[in-house]
Amino acid sequence: MKNYFISFIIFIIVFLCSFEKVYAEYQINYSMIIDNFEENDNEYILSTPTSIDKDQQGNYYIADLANNRILKLDCYMNKIGEIQNLDMPITVFIDAQQNILICELGTHKVVKFSPQFIRLTEWGGKGEGVGQFNIPRSITQDSRGNYFVSDELNHRIQKFDINGNYLEMHGEYGDENGQFKVQQGLSMDSQDRLYVADTYNNRIQIFDTYPTWSHLRSFGRYGVYQPFNYFSFQSEIFNHPRNVYVNKVTGNICVTDSLNNRIMVYGNYENGIPFQQSQNGYLSMNLPTDSLLKDNNLVLALDSYNRIIQYRTQLNNTNLFSQYGLGSSMENRFCGPQSIAVDSLTGSVYITDSFNHRIKKYTANGEYQEKYGGIGGSTGIGTLLNYFIFPKQVTVDSTGKLFVADFGNQRIVSKDRESNQFYLEVGSSNLGMPWGVAVDRNGLIYVSDWQDGKIKVFQDGNRIREWGGIGSAEGELNCPSELKIGQYNRQDIIAVADTKNNRIQIFTLTGELVSSIGMPTQNPLENYETEYSQGKLLLPYSMSFDRNGNLFVMDTSHKCMRIFTVNGQWLGSYGYMSSSEGNFFSPMGCDFDEQNNLWVVDGVLQRALKFEVVNQ
């Protein structure tokens, strides 16, 4: 198999949309949700776990982001308590006094609880000023009781006293020593050295914090590890390291190398940080979000299969581990939903439950009906025609035929409305990494291919034309994702989510450029708030035409949806980063039904939302 497991960037970029724009053209009303079911009191099923820490008694704490809670587990991973009703907790940290510190995305605050779960204090709030945050991403504590907070989109580290009073800050946007690009995880060793996961610079920076702040050294550089290519392994490369953890007893360092789908362990600072071990879930780890190194040098990790992985050996890349918190493969749960399509005749809703390697079908009222594909989780993949590997876009043509871009199997498959049997439409000899699929009124199939950045058109399984290619110039594409067909000036057109170019490109069905919405930006994270407020796009994955011919765009990394005319006029935005009703963390796929209701799937919050769109 090729390296299909390193390209899923949707869960590692944590960005922010700050307000809901009011405009006259539309009234958008949130109306329904399809999400994960409630669990029994004596069980726990994780939904986007993002952080793990341990107290002095050996209990573990998990930030269960999409479930809006912190779980407390005993040393055997049994649930013994929880803090509920949070707004997207991204990080949990246990300080020297055994208090529980939580970084909350929805409020941009640090919240502090006692060991008995009593809320003690909070500080922060959204902004660029002293003591404010633009995503408080991680927190740690020095030996004097001071807290250090990773202020992610302000590209700085802020220091507070034990009561949350501001003391000082360090850092700015850049790639020099002491500068950061979307830094995320923090950890402190026993000598008050601060370790920073400088995520977009693909390195770990180390600072002395007392008596003065100074940069000591960095390690790591960008590189892609391909688990099926033995020679691609290099201990010094990272691909978006999200977190770093230092064991205070041994000083050994654990790095969550997210886009390389692995955990890397190194020796302590005094010994020169030598490589010790690598763990990748026996080639099945998927976008790990955090990790912890026990005193015996065994790894605990969280990944995007909604599980805790506990290793029983220090040997590299073995299957000697246990898993906890699973359950996302159950019929009424999601794990990484990424696309949604509505059958215009029956109103049936199809959702790609991508990390469970399956398609799920619901009624127009959100009632679960059936599934197609894998049994769920890392074991649910398959190469037979009724199975999938990370399915991406789904679409339904005018006859009710369902089409699936089967990303990992490099193919497009379809099934008739009344059948459960899938058939091959386009095979792997023509496709590399198919993400998007659309079908025109003549039955021609359009496919977006991440591997070569092209749009490919097929008739009866044969390629009849193509356009695009990797690049940022007009008509070129970089990771083209979902496709949608609409009309403009009485002509059929196709919209392409040109994801890594931060734009939507619109073409005729023969590949002539009609218009472009958004533009490639060299450093979109440096001026994040400015670009958001100007209606620019950041990693859009999908869009859909409403009955007026306007485009609703899922501006995935701005955590909102935008509305544009085909010629690029910005009409407004809706939603912001929150787990509250009608808002988003990672809006991915979208589709309109016949009543002009807009359906949206949120990949990180693992739910589908329905909106009534009324033209004013």
Side-chain angles (χ1 to χ4, degrees):
M1 293 175 64
K2 295 183 179 179
N3 181 27
Y4 301 118
F5 307 102
I6 66 171
S7 300
F8 306 100
I9 61 176
I10 51 183
F11 300 112
I12 56 98
I13 304 175
V14 181
F15 298 129
L16 174 65
C17 174
S18 59
F19 62 90
E20 174 182 331
K21 186 179 174 75
V22 180
Y23 48 91
E25 288 82 358
Y26 289 96
Q27 178 67 42
I28 299 176
N29 303 312
Y30 163 77
S31 63
M32 193 177 72
I33 186 171
I34 303 174
D35 64 355
N36 292 334
F37 81 113
E38 295 183 1
E39 61 199 9
N40 297 325
D41 291 339
N42 60 348
E43 68 177 359
Y44 64 94
I45 298 176
L46 300 174
S47 188
T48 312
T50 53
S51 176
I52 184 170
D53 204 4
K54 185 178 182 181
D55 67 17
Q56 293 175 357
Q57 289 72 45
N59 301 309
Y60 296 102
Y61 297 76
I62 308 293
D64 193 11
L65 184 145
N67 283 326
N68 295 302
R69 65 181 178 181
I70 301 297
L71 281 174
K72 182 178 181 180
L73 311 177
D74 65 19
C75 62
Y76 302 105
M77 297 298 170
N78 298 308
K79 176 182 170 183
I80 56 176
E82 62 183 326
I83 301 173
Q84 298 179 324
N85 301 316
L86 301 169
D87 193 352
M88 296 191 297
I90 189 75
T91 296
V92 60
F93 172 73
I94 311 303
D95 70 8
Q97 295 74 37
Q98 301 304 285
N99 295 312
I100 305 161
L101 284 295
I102 301 166
C103 294
E104 198 176 45
L105 291 184
T107 62
H108 300 274
K109 292 182 177 181
V110 173
V111 187
K112 185 175 182 178
F113 288 83
S114 74
Q116 294 76 37
F117 299 170
I118 298 171
R119 196 180 187 105
L120 299 176
T121 188
E122 62 183 49
W123 67 90
K126 186 181 182 305
E128 300 177 354
V130 168
Q132 295 180 314
F133 304 118
N134 196 345
I135 297 187
R137 185 58 179 79
S138 182
I139 185 169
T140 191
Q141 187 183 40
D142 67 15
S143 63
R144 294 161 181 80
N146 301 309
Y147 298 115
F148 292 76
V149 179
S150 175
D151 187 6
E152 181 177 308
L153 286 181
N154 286 325
H155 313 288
R156 65 190 183 186
I157 308 297
Q158 294 198 65
K159 181 180 177 180
F160 302 85
D161 68 18
I162 198 166
N163 296 312
N165 298 307
Y166 170 80
L167 296 175
E168 60 187 53
M169 71 173 70
H170 303 278
E172 61 183 355
Y173 184 87
D175 54 17
E176 300 295 327
N177 291 338
Q179 296 179 328
F180 307 108
K181 286 185 180 179
V182 194
Q183 81 292 340
Q184 296 191 356
L186 302 179
S187 191
M188 191 80 68
D189 70 12
S190 61
Q191 303 303 309
D192 284 344
R193 289 182 290 252
L194 179 67
Y195 296 67
V196 181
D198 191 5
T199 305
Y200 267 66
N201 280 323
N202 296 293
R203 65 185 178 184
I204 306 299
Q205 294 198 65
I206 307 174
F207 299 90
D208 204 349
T209 63
Y210 185 82
T212 59
W213 176 274
S214 63
H215 178 268
L216 296 175
R217 64 166 292 185
S218 300
F219 67 97
R221 59 179 175 80
Y222 173 73
V224 176
Y225 166 58
Q226 300 177 357
F228 299 101
N229 179 359
Y230 173 82
F231 298 100
S232 74
F233 180 86
Q234 299 175 68
S235 62
E236 71 274 14
I237 64 172
F238 298 130
N239 191 355
H240 284 72
R242 289 186 62 171
N243 272 304
V244 59
Y245 178 89
V246 183
N247 183 289
K248 278 190 166 57
V249 175
T250 66
N252 292 339
I253 305 161
C254 192
V255 178
T256 306
D257 188 12
S258 290
L259 285 189
N260 278 329
N261 295 311
R262 63 182 184 176
I263 308 299
M264 302 292 285
V265 179
Y266 303 87
N268 60 38
Y269 182 88
E270 285 76 12
N271 290 326
I273 312 181
F275 168 72
Q276 291 187 346
Q277 61 174 300
S278 171
Q279 302 295 349
N280 64 14
Y282 200 51
L283 306 182
S284 72
M285 189 174 285
N286 184 35
L287 294 176
T289 55
D290 197 12
S291 54
L292 177 151
L293 194 63
K294 297 193 287 186
D295 294 349
N296 58 9
N297 228 36
L298 296 181
V299 169
L300 273 170
L302 308 175
D303 82 348
S304 296
Y305 281 134
N306 294 329
R307 62 182 175 174
I308 305 166
I309 308 172
Q310 182 170 248
Y311 284 89
R312 301 191 296 272
T313 178
Q314 297 181 43
L315 297 175
N316 288 336
N317 304 328
T318 75
N319 63 352
L320 299 175
F321 57 83
S322 302
Q323 304 175 79
Y324 305 91
L326 290 169
S328 60
S329 63
M330 300 171 66
E331 287 185 347
N332 49 356
R333 295 189 74 91
F334 293 120
C335 188
Q338 294 188 355
S339 183
I340 191 166
V342 183
D343 186 326
S344 60
L345 180 62
T346 66
S348 296
V349 178
Y350 297 90
I351 298 174
T352 54
D353 189 13
S354 189
F355 291 171
N356 280 325
H357 313 290
R358 64 188 180 186
I359 312 298
K360 298 173 70 177
K361 181 181 178 182
Y362 294 84
T363 68
N365 295 320
E367 298 173 356
Y368 172 76
Q369 289 187 303
E370 58 185 336
K371 67 177 177 68
Y372 317 104
I375 60 175
S378 59
T379 60
I381 63 176
T383 57
L384 299 177
L385 281 175
N386 281 0
Y387 289 85
F388 309 102
I389 301 178
F390 295 111
K392 298 303 178 186
Q393 187 175 1
V394 284
T395 193
V396 183
D397 72 8
S398 59
T399 70
K401 181 181 285 189
L402 175 68
F403 291 78
V404 182
D406 189 0
F407 186 88
N409 281 319
Q410 303 173 278
R411 65 191 181 191
I412 303 298
V413 297
S414 71
K415 79 167 196 71
D416 294 327
R417 179 182 284 143
E418 304 302 327
S419 171
N420 288 335
Q421 177 61 48
F422 282 85
Y423 298 94
L424 183 67
E425 294 282 354
V426 182
S428 59
S429 61
N430 282 296
L431 300 172
M433 302 168 73
W435 189 295
V437 58
V439 183
D440 70 15
R441 65 183 71 197
N442 297 314
L444 299 183
I445 300 173
Y446 299 74
V447 182
S448 63
D449 196 328
W450 268 33
Q451 183 166 287
D452 56 15
K454 291 183 177 181
I455 307 301
K456 302 172 182 179
V457 187
F458 298 88
Q459 183 176 36
D460 299 325
N462 299 310
R463 191 186 316 186
I464 60 173
R465 61 178 172 267
E466 64 181 37
W467 68 85
I470 296 175
S472 59
E474 286 191 349
E476 295 180 330
L477 303 163
N478 190 354
C479 290
S481 299
E482 293 211 353
L483 307 174
K484 290 290 171 61
I485 292 176
Q487 278 203 328
Y488 180 64
N489 289 338
R490 299 182 181 179
Q491 179 185 29
D492 286 342
I493 54 176
I494 186 166
V496 181
D498 188 8
T499 301
K500 287 195 175 180
N501 281 327
N502 302 317
R503 66 186 176 188
I504 305 297
Q505 294 202 74
I506 302 172
F507 301 89
T508 67
L509 297 188
T510 56
E512 298 171 354
L513 184 65
V514 175
S515 65
S516 183
I517 300 170
M519 65 182 66
T521 306
Q522 186 172 3
N523 293 308
L525 303 178
E526 185 176 8
N527 303 300
Y528 180 89
E529 289 299 325
T530 299
E531 297 208 353
Y532 166 74
S533 65
Q534 295 174 350
K536 295 181 181 179
L537 302 175
L538 186 57
L539 299 178
Y541 276 85
S542 182
M543 67 273 117
S544 192
F545 292 96
D546 75 349
R547 60 177 49 162
N548 298 316
N550 294 323
L551 268 177
F552 282 62
V553 178
M554 298 301 104
D555 192 1
T556 304
S557 288
H558 280 141
K559 315 301 185 191
C560 64
M561 57 183 173
R562 312 276 201 181
I563 302 96
F564 297 92
T565 64
V566 168
N567 61 17
Q569 180 186 356
W570 177 34
L571 300 179
S573 302
Y574 180 89
Y576 55 91
M577 187 179 72
S578 174
S579 60
S580 58
E581 290 185 349
N583 290 303
F584 311 107
F585 185 95
S586 180
M588 294 288 293
C590 65
D591 200 23
F592 276 98
D593 63 20
E594 285 296 289
Q595 289 73 44
N596 213 42
N597 297 310
L598 180 65
W599 292 80
V600 179
V601 288
D602 191 309
V604 171
L605 293 181
Q606 307 199 28
R607 64 189 188 184
L609 305 174
K610 182 181 179 181
F611 299 89
E612 179 188 19
V613 179
V614 181
N615 199 218
Q616 298 281 65

